[in-house]
Coordinates of all heavy atoms in Angstrom, one line a residue:
A15 N 1.4 13.4 -18.6 CA 0.1 13.0 -19.0 C 0.2 11.9 -20.1 O -0.5 10.9 -20.1 CB -0.7 14.2 -19.6
E16 N 1.2 12.1 -21.0 CA 1.4 11.1 -22.1 C 1.8 9.8 -21.6 O 1.3 8.7 -22.0 CB 2.4 11.7 -23.1 CG 2.6 10.8 -24.3 CD 3.5 11.4 -25.3 OE1 3.9 12.6 -25.2 OE2 4.0 10.7 -26.2
R17 N 2.8 9.8 -20.6 CA 3.3 8.6 -20.0 C 2.2 7.9 -19.2 O 2.0 6.6 -19.3 CB 4.4 8.9 -19.1 CG 5.7 9.3 -19.8 CD 6.8 9.6 -18.9 NE 7.2 8.5 -18.0 CZ 8.0 8.6 -17.0 NH1 8.5 9.7 -16.6 NH2 8.3 7.5 -16.3
L18 N 1.4 8.6 -18.5 CA 0.3 8.0 -17.7 C -0.8 7.4 -18.6 O -1.3 6.3 -18.3 CB -0.4 9.1 -16.8 CG 0.4 9.5 -15.6 CD1 -0.2 10.7 -15.0 CD2 0.5 8.4 -14.6
K19 N -1.1 8.0 -19.7 CA -2.0 7.5 -20.7 C -1.5 6.2 -21.3 O -2.3 5.2 -21.4 CB -2.3 8.5 -21.8 CG -3.4 8.1 -22.8 CD -4.7 8.0 -22.2 CE -5.8 7.7 -23.2 NZ -7.2 7.6 -22.6
A20 N -0.2 6.2 -21.7 CA 0.3 5.0 -22.3 C 0.5 3.8 -21.4 O 0.4 2.7 -21.8 CB 1.7 5.4 -23.0
T21 N 0.8 4.1 -20.1 CA 1.2 3.0 -19.2 C 0.0 2.6 -18.3 O -0.2 1.4 -18.0 CB 2.4 3.4 -18.3 OG1 2.1 4.6 -17.6 CG2 3.6 3.6 -19.2
R22 N -0.7 3.6 -17.8 CA -1.8 3.3 -16.8 C -3.2 3.5 -17.4 O -4.1 3.1 -16.7 CB -1.6 4.3 -15.7 CG -0.4 4.1 -14.8 CD -0.6 3.0 -13.8 NE 0.3 3.1 -12.7 CZ 0.2 2.4 -11.5 NH1 -0.9 1.6 -11.4 NH2 1.0 2.6 -10.6
G23 N -3.3 4.0 -18.6 CA -4.6 4.3 -19.1 C -5.3 5.4 -18.3 O -6.5 5.6 -18.3
Y24 N -4.5 6.3 -17.7 CA -5.0 7.4 -16.8 C -5.0 8.7 -17.6 O -4.0 9.0 -18.2 CB -4.2 7.5 -15.6 CG -4.6 8.6 -14.6 CD1 -5.6 8.3 -13.7 CD2 -4.1 9.9 -14.7 CE1 -6.0 9.3 -12.8 CE2 -4.5 10.9 -13.8 CZ -5.5 10.6 -12.9 OH -5.9 11.5 -12.0
A25 N -6.1 9.3 -17.6 CA -6.3 10.6 -18.4 C -6.0 11.8 -17.5 O -6.8 12.1 -16.6 CB -7.6 10.7 -19.0
L26 N -4.9 12.4 -17.6 CA -4.5 13.6 -16.9 C -4.7 14.8 -17.8 O -4.1 14.9 -18.9 CB -3.1 13.5 -16.4 CG -2.5 14.8 -15.7 CD1 -3.3 15.1 -14.4 CD2 -1.0 14.6 -15.4
D27 N -5.5 15.8 -17.3 CA -5.8 17.0 -18.1 C -4.6 17.9 -17.9 O -4.6 18.7 -16.9 CB -7.1 17.6 -17.7 CG -7.6 18.6 -18.7 OD1 -6.7 19.2 -19.4 OD2 -8.8 18.8 -18.8
A28 N -3.6 17.8 -18.7 CA -2.4 18.7 -18.6 C -2.7 20.2 -18.7 O -2.1 21.0 -18.1 CB -1.3 18.3 -19.6
A29 N -3.7 20.5 -19.6 CA -4.1 21.9 -19.8 C -4.6 22.5 -18.6 O -4.3 23.7 -18.3 CB -5.1 22.0 -20.9
V30 N -5.4 21.8 -17.8 CA -5.9 22.3 -16.5 C -4.8 22.6 -15.5 O -4.7 23.6 -14.9 CB -6.9 21.3 -15.9 CG1 -7.3 21.8 -14.5 CG2 -8.2 21.3 -16.8
L31 N -3.8 21.6 -15.4 CA -2.7 21.8 -14.6 C -1.8 23.0 -15.0 O -1.4 23.8 -14.1 CB -1.8 20.5 -14.6 CG -2.0 19.5 -13.5 CD1 -1.0 18.4 -13.6 CD2 -1.9 20.1 -12.1
E32 N -1.6 23.1 -16.3 CA -0.8 24.2 -16.8 C -1.5 25.6 -16.5 O -0.8 26.6 -16.1 CB -0.6 24.1 -18.3 CG 0.4 23.0 -18.6 CD 0.5 22.7 -20.1 OE1 -0.5 23.1 -20.8 OE2 1.5 22.2 -20.6
S33 N -2.8 25.6 -16.7 CA -3.6 26.8 -16.4 C -3.5 27.2 -14.9 O -3.3 28.4 -14.5 CB -5.0 26.7 -16.8 OG -5.8 27.8 -16.5
L34 N -3.7 26.2 -14.0 CA -3.6 26.5 -12.6 C -2.2 26.9 -12.2 O -2.1 27.8 -11.3 CB -4.0 25.2 -11.8 CG -5.5 24.8 -11.8 CD1 -5.7 23.5 -11.3 CD2 -6.3 25.9 -11.0
E35 N -1.2 26.3 -12.7 CA 0.2 26.6 -12.4 C 0.5 28.0 -12.8 O 1.2 28.8 -12.1 CB 1.1 25.6 -13.0 CG 2.6 25.8 -12.7 CD 3.0 25.8 -11.3 OE1 2.2 25.3 -10.5 OE2 4.0 26.4 -10.9
S36 N 0.0 28.4 -14.0 CA 0.3 29.7 -14.5 C -0.4 30.8 -13.6 O 0.3 31.8 -13.2 CB -0.3 29.9 -15.9 OG -0.1 31.2 -16.4
E37 N -1.6 30.5 -13.2 CA -2.3 31.4 -12.3 C -1.6 31.5 -11.0 O -1.5 32.5 -10.3 CB -3.8 31.0 -12.2 CG -4.6 32.1 -11.4 CD -6.0 31.7 -11.2 OE1 -6.4 30.6 -11.8 OE2 -6.8 32.4 -10.6
R38 N -1.2 30.3 -10.5 CA -0.5 30.3 -9.2 C 0.8 31.1 -9.2 O 1.0 31.9 -8.2 CB -0.1 28.8 -8.8 CG 0.6 28.7 -7.5 CD 1.3 27.4 -7.3 NE 2.5 27.3 -8.2 CZ 3.6 27.9 -8.0 NH1 3.8 28.6 -6.9 NH2 4.6 27.7 -8.9
K39 N 1.5 31.1 -10.2 CA 2.8 31.9 -10.3 C 2.4 33.4 -10.3 O 3.1 34.2 -9.6 CB 3.5 31.6 -11.6 CG 4.2 30.2 -11.6 CD 4.9 30.0 -12.9 CE 5.6 28.6 -12.9 NZ 6.3 28.4 -14.3
Q40 N 1.4 33.8 -11.1 CA 1.0 35.2 -11.1 C 0.6 35.7 -9.8 O 1.0 36.7 -9.3 CB -0.1 35.4 -12.2 CG 0.4 35.1 -13.6 CD -0.8 35.2 -14.6 OE1 -1.9 35.5 -14.2 NE2 -0.5 35.0 -15.9
I41 N -0.3 34.9 -9.1 CA -0.9 35.4 -7.9 C 0.2 35.3 -6.8 O 0.2 36.2 -5.9 CB -2.1 34.5 -7.5 CG1 -3.2 34.8 -8.5 CG2 -2.6 34.8 -6.1 CD1 -4.5 34.0 -8.3
Q42 N 1.1 34.3 -6.8 CA 2.1 34.2 -5.8 C 3.0 35.4 -5.9 O 3.4 36.0 -4.9 CB 2.9 32.9 -6.0 CG 3.9 32.7 -4.9 CD 4.5 31.3 -4.8 OE1 3.7 30.4 -4.7 NE2 5.8 31.2 -4.9
T43 N 3.4 35.8 -7.2 CA 4.2 37.0 -7.4 C 3.5 38.3 -6.9 O 4.1 39.1 -6.2 CB 4.5 37.2 -8.9 OG1 5.3 36.0 -9.3 CG2 5.4 38.4 -9.1
R44 N 2.2 38.4 -7.2 CA 1.5 39.6 -6.7 C 1.3 39.6 -5.2 O 1.4 40.6 -4.6 CB 0.1 39.6 -7.4 CG -0.8 40.8 -7.0 CD -0.1 42.1 -7.3 NE -1.0 43.2 -6.9 CZ -0.5 44.5 -6.8 NH1 0.8 44.7 -6.9 NH2 -1.3 45.4 -6.4
T45 N 1.1 38.4 -4.6 CA 1.0 38.3 -3.2 C 2.3 38.8 -2.5 O 2.3 39.5 -1.5 CB 0.7 36.9 -2.7 OG1 -0.5 36.4 -3.3 CG2 0.6 36.7 -1.2
Q46 N 3.4 38.4 -3.0 CA 4.7 38.8 -2.5 C 4.9 40.3 -2.6 O 5.4 41.0 -1.7 CB 5.9 38.0 -3.2 CG 5.9 36.6 -2.8 CD 6.9 35.8 -3.6 OE1 7.3 36.2 -4.7 NE2 7.2 34.5 -3.2
E47 N 4.5 40.9 -3.8 CA 4.6 42.3 -4.0 C 3.7 43.1 -3.0 O 4.2 44.1 -2.4 CB 4.1 42.6 -5.4 CG 5.0 42.2 -6.5 CD 4.4 42.4 -7.9 OE1 3.2 42.7 -8.0 OE2 5.2 42.2 -8.9
L48 N 2.5 42.6 -2.8 CA 1.6 43.2 -1.8 C 2.2 43.1 -0.4 O 2.0 44.1 0.4 CB 0.2 42.6 -1.9 CG -0.6 42.9 -3.2 CD1 -1.8 41.9 -3.2 CD2 -1.0 44.3 -3.2
Q49 N 2.8 42.0 0.0 CA 3.4 41.9 1.3 C 4.5 42.9 1.5 O 4.6 43.5 2.5 CB 3.9 40.5 1.5 CG 2.7 39.4 1.6 CD 3.3 38.0 1.6 OE1 4.4 37.7 1.1 NE2 2.5 37.1 2.1
N50 N 5.3 43.0 0.5 CA 6.4 44.0 0.6 C 5.9 45.4 0.6 O 6.4 46.2 1.4 CB 7.4 43.8 -0.7 CG 8.1 42.5 -0.6 OD1 8.4 41.9 0.4 ND2 8.5 42.0 -1.8
L51 N 4.9 45.7 -0.2 CA 4.3 47.0 -0.3 C 3.6 47.4 1.1 O 3.8 48.5 1.6 CB 3.3 47.1 -1.4 CG 2.7 48.5 -1.7 CD1 3.8 49.4 -2.2 CD2 1.7 48.4 -2.9
R52 N 2.9 46.4 1.7 CA 2.3 46.7 3.0 C 3.4 47.0 4.0 O 3.2 47.9 4.8 CB 1.5 45.4 3.4 CG 0.8 45.5 4.8 CD 0.3 44.2 5.2 NE 1.4 43.2 5.3 CZ 1.2 41.9 5.6 NH1 0.0 41.5 5.8 NH2 2.2 41.1 5.6
N53 N 4.5 46.2 4.0 CA 5.5 46.4 5.0 C 6.2 47.8 4.8 O 6.5 48.5 5.8 CB 6.6 45.3 4.9 CG 6.0 43.9 5.2 OD1 5.0 43.8 6.0 ND2 6.7 42.9 4.8
T54 N 6.4 48.2 3.5 CA 7.0 49.5 3.3 C 6.1 50.6 3.7 O 6.6 51.6 4.3 CB 7.3 49.6 1.7 OG1 8.2 48.5 1.3 CG2 7.9 50.9 1.4
R55 N 4.8 50.5 3.4 CA 3.9 51.6 3.7 C 3.7 51.6 5.3 O 3.5 52.7 5.8 CB 2.5 51.3 3.0 CG 2.6 51.5 1.5 CD 2.9 53.0 1.2 NE 2.9 53.3 -0.2 CZ 3.9 53.2 -1.0 NH1 5.1 52.9 -0.5 NH2 3.8 53.5 -2.3
S56 N 3.7 50.5 5.9 CA 3.5 50.5 7.4 C 4.7 51.2 8.0 O 4.5 51.9 9.0 CB 3.4 49.0 7.9 OG 2.2 48.4 7.4
K57 N 5.9 50.9 7.5 CA 7.1 51.6 8.0 C 7.0 53.1 7.8 O 7.4 53.9 8.7 CB 8.3 51.0 7.3 CG 9.6 51.5 7.9 CD 10.8 50.9 7.2 CE 12.1 51.4 7.8 NZ 13.3 50.7 7.1
A58 N 6.4 53.5 6.6 CA 6.3 54.9 6.3 C 5.3 55.6 7.3 O 5.5 56.8 7.6 CB 5.8 55.1 4.9
I59 N 4.3 54.9 7.7 CA 3.3 55.4 8.6 C 4.0 55.8 9.9 O 3.8 56.8 10.5 CB 2.1 54.4 8.9 CG1 1.3 54.4 7.6 CG2 1.3 54.9 10.1 CD1 0.2 53.3 7.7
G60 N 4.9 54.8 10.4 CA 5.6 55.1 11.6 C 6.5 56.3 11.5 O 6.6 57.1 12.5
Q61 N 7.2 56.4 10.4 CA 8.1 57.6 10.2 C 7.3 58.9 10.1 O 7.7 59.9 10.7 CB 8.9 57.4 8.9 CG 9.8 56.2 9.0 CD 10.5 55.9 7.6 OE1 10.0 56.3 6.6 NE2 11.6 55.2 7.7
A62 N 6.1 58.8 9.4 CA 5.3 60.0 9.3 C 4.7 60.5 10.7 O 4.7 61.7 11.0 CB 4.1 59.8 8.3
K63 N 4.3 59.5 11.5 CA 3.8 59.8 12.8 C 4.9 60.5 13.7 O 4.7 61.4 14.4 CB 3.3 58.5 13.5 CG 2.0 58.0 13.1 CD 1.5 56.8 13.9 CE 0.1 56.4 13.5 NZ -0.3 55.2 14.2
A64 N 6.1 60.0 13.5 CA 7.3 60.5 14.3 C 7.5 62.0 13.9 O 8.0 62.8 14.7 CB 8.5 59.7 14.0
K65 N 7.2 62.3 12.7 CA 7.4 63.7 12.2 C 6.2 64.6 12.4 O 6.2 65.8 12.1 CB 7.8 63.7 10.7 CG 9.1 63.0 10.4 CD 9.3 63.0 8.9 CE 10.6 62.3 8.6 NZ 10.8 62.2 7.1
G66 N 5.1 64.0 12.9 CA 3.9 64.7 13.2 C 3.1 65.0 11.9 O 2.2 65.9 11.9
E67 N 3.3 64.2 10.9 CA 2.6 64.4 9.6 C 1.3 63.7 9.6 O 1.0 62.8 10.4 CB 3.5 63.9 8.4 CG 4.8 64.6 8.3 CD 5.7 64.0 7.3 OE1 5.4 62.9 6.7 OE2 6.8 64.6 7.0
D68 N 0.4 64.1 8.7 CA -0.9 63.4 8.5 C -0.7 62.1 7.9 O -0.2 61.9 6.8 CB -1.8 64.3 7.6 CG -3.2 63.7 7.4 OD1 -3.5 62.8 8.2 OD2 -3.9 64.2 6.5
V69 N -1.1 61.0 8.6 CA -0.9 59.6 8.1 C -2.2 59.0 7.6 O -2.2 57.9 7.1 CB -0.4 58.7 9.3 CG1 0.9 59.2 9.8 CG2 -1.5 58.7 10.4
A70 N -3.3 59.8 7.5 CA -4.6 59.3 7.0 C -4.5 58.7 5.6 O -5.0 57.6 5.3 CB -5.7 60.3 7.1

Side-chain angles (χ1 to χ4, degrees):
E16 185 177 347
R17 289 178 61 188
L18 287 167
K19 183 67 175 177
T21 59
R22 291 279 203 168
Y24 181 86
L26 172 63
D27 195 332
V30 170
L31 263 183
E32 289 173 336
S33 175
L34 286 169
E35 179 59 21
S36 176
E37 186 180 359
R38 182 197 67 79
K39 287 180 180 178
Q40 293 174 1
I41 294 180
Q42 185 165 306
T43 298
R44 180 57 179 162
T45 300
Q46 291 170 345
E47 291 173 351
L48 290 168
Q49 289 170 339
N50 292 333
L51 190 59
R52 179 192 59 185
N53 294 339
T54 301
R55 292 294 185 269
S56 296
K57 184 176 180 180
I59 289 174
Q61 293 171 341
K63 283 183 176 180
K65 296 177 181 178
E67 298 174 352
D68 182 13
V69 296

